[in-house]
Amino acid sequence: MDSTRFLKRLNIHAIINSGGIPLKIKDISVILALDLGTTGNRAIVFDASWNVVASAYREFEQLFPQPGWVEHRPADILSALRRVIDQVLHQVDGRKISAVGVTNQRETVVLWDAQTGEPVYNAIVWQCRRTAERCRALAEHAPMIKAKTGLPLDPYFSATKMAWILEHVPAAKRLAKLGRLRCGTIDAWVIWELTAGASFVTDPSNVSRTMLYDLSTGAYDPELLNLFGIPPASLPGVLPSDGAFGRVDPKWGFSAPICAVMGDQQSALFAQCGESEGVVKNTYGTGLFVVTPTARPVWADHLVTTVAWERAGTRWYALEGSIFVGGSLIQWLRDQCRWVASAEDSEALAQSVPDSGGVMVVPAFVGLGAPYWCSEARGAIFGLTRGTSPAHIVRASLEALAYQSADVIDVMAQALGVDRFSALRVDGGASHNAFLMQIQADLIGSVVEQPKFLESTALGVAGMAAMTTGVCTDAAFRMSNPVQRSFSPRPLSGDLSLARWRRAVRQVVELAHDNR
Ligand code: ADP
């Protein structure tokens, strides 16, 4: 949409006040996207031409209280959010924010007291495997759960995390009895905070990850609520992804309506693929998320069937392969091994050796997600020799990200009955790594396309918010982020081998089964 039309629809008031001379886009209304990620929170302000006019990012601490456990302090998430909002409000007049979109790490749960606002326990993060035992005990229900929710019975999803807090934290039980307990995913909790307790709501893309939601009825399922012992009254209401989620309370420094909410992967999918079948995207963030949109739910054994979004009265679905460890493997190389000073340095170090020297890294730090689903698996490094250097292990780690993605893309193509996808659209922090993108193209035999603006997660929900408020059409949004760089597949070279990778994964899975 050109600036004059945008002005007419959005800010007639501004034109009148400026004597009819159109103001510069940056002087008028803007959209704020809040991206509540796993590693950190991000705020991005877009103008009507989809230029970024302000942005801020803040990491927060990852807590690992026991092997396989992952938590966040809810207060850390909130203070990182406050910081990034404050930062963008230094760059943009808060009164110009006409709409807010919220996108978030999914499945992670917070339980809190509706009266005091105090969380009863840390957020249990999607990566956390503490409920693996519980899932094993419920194995007989797995087919029913998959049939209703589209999800495999796995600690990844919210239900067993909520149940764990209800069982282990006395305050949760007490508050549930008093009717004061609130159980939410990060979107529900943060919207509750942003609206100063006025809204307790979520959207179908987030609720479809809780393992409590029946895809065919479009409602919480009483049998599942009973199975996991979740009080129905403690759960948020479900609004369409383009619903009216409430107004940001002025205590945040500005006030605007929240008019779009989607889980992070669905939001990235909305930006990258929109409502068209046959395209696939992979987000290389903390985890790796391969997702393709479908007009109807598609069921596949080793993948997740989920809601993509519901907007303008229509629901789209997605077929997804969630890989638990992606960029977090690079964080591990940086923080625990100290072999790279920054995630970006991994690219140069990997390229300082001609190949990985036979090293194979299986990064099953928190079990293996799609397409293997083995929650007891733990990471392994194969092929170490006296000559192995950090550079080999760093290179093998980047290869591991590409191998895991290739396995999911393969299974997904089979489920959809296609030979291969015409292109893989990429985004997320680690998609900046050109070495990784090239070997990804080589391994899947499809072109890898990188859009100009790689923060698709924030862009998707901002786009939906703009469409909801009528300041942008779908067609205009689709043209906003063209492909900037593409990586064409080359014949496989060096020691890249999917067959050897799959043998290594099999060994890790067998070891996990032996340890049961
Ligand atoms: P999230 O939204 O899950 O918090 P991001 O999309 O912000 O994640 O990406 C951050 C992740 O990407 C981190 O785990 C980081 O290690 C990884 N990362 C960032 N840049 C690079 C890079 N150039 N090469 C490899 N990994 C990277």
Side-chain angles (χ1 to χ4, degrees):
M1 175 178 301
D2 69 43
S3 60
T4 319
R5 272 177 58 216
F6 178 80
L7 275 164
K8 277 193 187 131
R9 289 175 68 169
L10 232 198
N11 219 331
I12 294 163
H13 183 67
I15 297 176
I16 294 165
N17 283 350
S18 63
I21 302 158
L23 300 171
K24 279 189 260 154
I25 286 293
K26 67 177 186 229
D27 294 329
I28 61 160
S29 296
V30 292
I31 306 273
L32 169 65
L34 298 175
D35 175 4
L36 313 163
T38 310
T39 315
N41 290 339
R42 180 172 273 120
I44 303 187
V45 179
F46 296 93
D47 70 17
S49 309
W50 299 107
N51 299 308
V52 172
V53 291
S55 78
Y57 177 71
R58 184 144 187 100
E59 279 197 12
F60 47 76
E61 198 181 342
Q62 310 290 311
L63 308 171
F64 309 106
Q66 291 189 29
W69 289 30
V70 190
E71 295 179 4
H72 294 151
R73 270 183 225 100
D76 290 352
I77 298 178
L78 281 191
S79 58
L81 179 62
R82 188 166 279 285
R83 264 300 263 281
V84 294
I85 289 178
D86 286 350
Q87 266 175 272
V88 295
L89 289 179
H90 272 112
Q91 302 163 62
V92 165
D93 182 345
R95 288 168 302 186
K96 291 178 183 149
I97 299 171
S98 61
V100 180
V102 172
T103 179
N104 55 287
Q105 52 162 321
R106 306 166 305 167
E107 299 98 15
T108 301
V109 300
V110 178
L111 274 63
W112 72 99
D113 180 350
Q115 202 159 308
T116 64
E118 276 304 308
V120 299
Y121 190 77
N122 278 342
I124 301 186
V125 178
W126 55 273
Q127 292 173 314
C128 186
R129 316 308 289 169
R130 79 183 62 196
T131 56
E133 188 61 50
R134 175 75 190 261
C135 288
R136 260 200 306 281
L138 292 171
E140 64 182 291
H141 301 283
M144 177 273 287
I145 292 172
K146 173 89 176 168
K148 283 187 175 177
T149 66
L151 312 175
L153 173 58
D154 191 272
Y156 173 32
F157 305 102
S158 312
T160 56
K161 299 180 197 292
M162 290 177 178
W164 189 95
I165 297 180
L166 273 156
E167 278 160 27
H168 291 84
V169 181
K173 265 184 259 180
R174 187 172 52 77
L175 291 170
K177 281 204 189 95
L178 295 171
R180 276 168 46 188
L181 186 70
R182 297 288 177 267
C183 300
T185 41
I186 292 295
D187 56 315
W189 176 61
V190 168
I191 291 169
W192 192 85
E193 285 285 346
L194 284 171
T195 60
S199 299
F200 182 44
V201 284
T202 185
D203 94 299
S205 73
N206 275 295
V207 79
S208 67
R209 318 291 300 186
T210 58
M211 219 156 69
L212 300 170
Y213 189 75
D214 186 332
L215 286 181
S216 59
T217 61
Y220 291 113
D221 181 72
E223 185 182 3
L224 294 172
L225 295 178
N226 193 39
L227 183 67
F228 295 109
I230 313 295
S234 68
L235 292 167
V238 185
L239 297 177
S241 313
D242 63 353
F245 291 88
R247 245 193 124 74
V248 176
D249 188 87
K251 74 175 181 184
W252 288 88
F254 74 105
S255 180
I258 302 169
C259 12
V261 174
M262 272 182 286
D264 50 11
Q265 299 316 315
Q266 286 94 332
S267 182
L269 184 70
F270 188 71
Q272 291 273 44
C273 304
E275 294 176 340
S276 51
E277 293 186 320
V279 273
V280 63
K281 72 94 195 164
N282 193 5
T283 296
Y284 298 79
T286 306
L288 309 176
F289 296 89
V290 183
V291 196
T292 186
T294 62
R296 275 187 204 83
V298 175
W299 303 83
D301 273 351
H302 302 290
L303 300 173
V304 166
T305 307
T306 201
V307 176
W309 49 77
E310 188 180 315
R311 71 168 192 125
T314 304
R315 177 174 287 200
W316 269 74
Y317 294 85
L319 194 57
E320 173 177 321
S322 335
I323 296 162
F324 300 145
V325 174
S328 56
L329 173 60
I330 313 305
Q331 279 180 308
W332 178 77
L333 296 171
R334 181 193 70 184
D335 301 340
Q336 261 82 13
C337 306
R338 298 180 186 277
W339 288 332
V340 286
S342 69
E344 293 73 31
D345 288 353
S346 62
E347 184 170 345
L349 190 58
Q351 285 177 300
S352 70
V353 285
D355 56 38
S356 59
V359 175
M360 188 72 82
V361 176
V362 182
F365 292 162
V366 288
L368 286 167
Y372 327 103
W373 298 107
C374 178
S375 46
E376 302 87 354
R378 291 296 174 264
I381 303 180
F382 294 91
L384 296 177
T385 66
R386 192 62 183 73
T388 301
S389 70
H392 292 115
I393 299 178
V394 167
R395 185 173 176 119
S397 298
L398 291 170
E399 289 173 357
L401 269 52
Y403 281 132
Q404 294 184 100
S405 307
D407 276 351
V408 169
I409 290 166
D410 197 34
V411 170
M412 195 171 273
Q414 282 174 34
L416 294 170
V418 294
D419 225 22
R420 63 183 53 165
F421 290 98
S422 58
L424 171 69
R425 302 207 175 132
V426 300
D427 54 63
S431 71
H432 290 277
N433 191 312
F435 169 75
L436 170 60
M437 294 302 101
Q438 184 59 59
I439 56 172
Q440 188 69 83
D442 301 346
L443 280 172
I444 62 173
S446 299
V447 63
V448 167
E449 293 180 342
Q450 207 172 46
K452 187 161 152 242
F453 180 65
L454 283 175
E455 293 300 336
S456 309
T457 308
L459 183 65
V461 85
M464 188 177 285
M467 290 177 218
T468 307
T469 45
V471 299
C472 181
T473 62
D474 206 335
F477 180 62
R478 294 288 142 224
M479 289 189 297
S480 68
N481 198 22
V483 173
Q484 186 173 51
R485 194 168 178 193
S486 53
F487 299 84
S488 299
R490 305 167 307 189
L492 282 187
S493 62
D495 56 0
L496 277 183
S497 159
L498 267 169
R500 214 163 71 78
W501 156 258
R502 286 173 187 162
R503 275 201 301 279
V505 171
R506 264 201 305 279
Q507 288 183 22
V508 162
V509 171
E510 273 166 25
L511 188 64
H513 289 168
D514 289 350
N515 288 344
R516 269 186 187 169

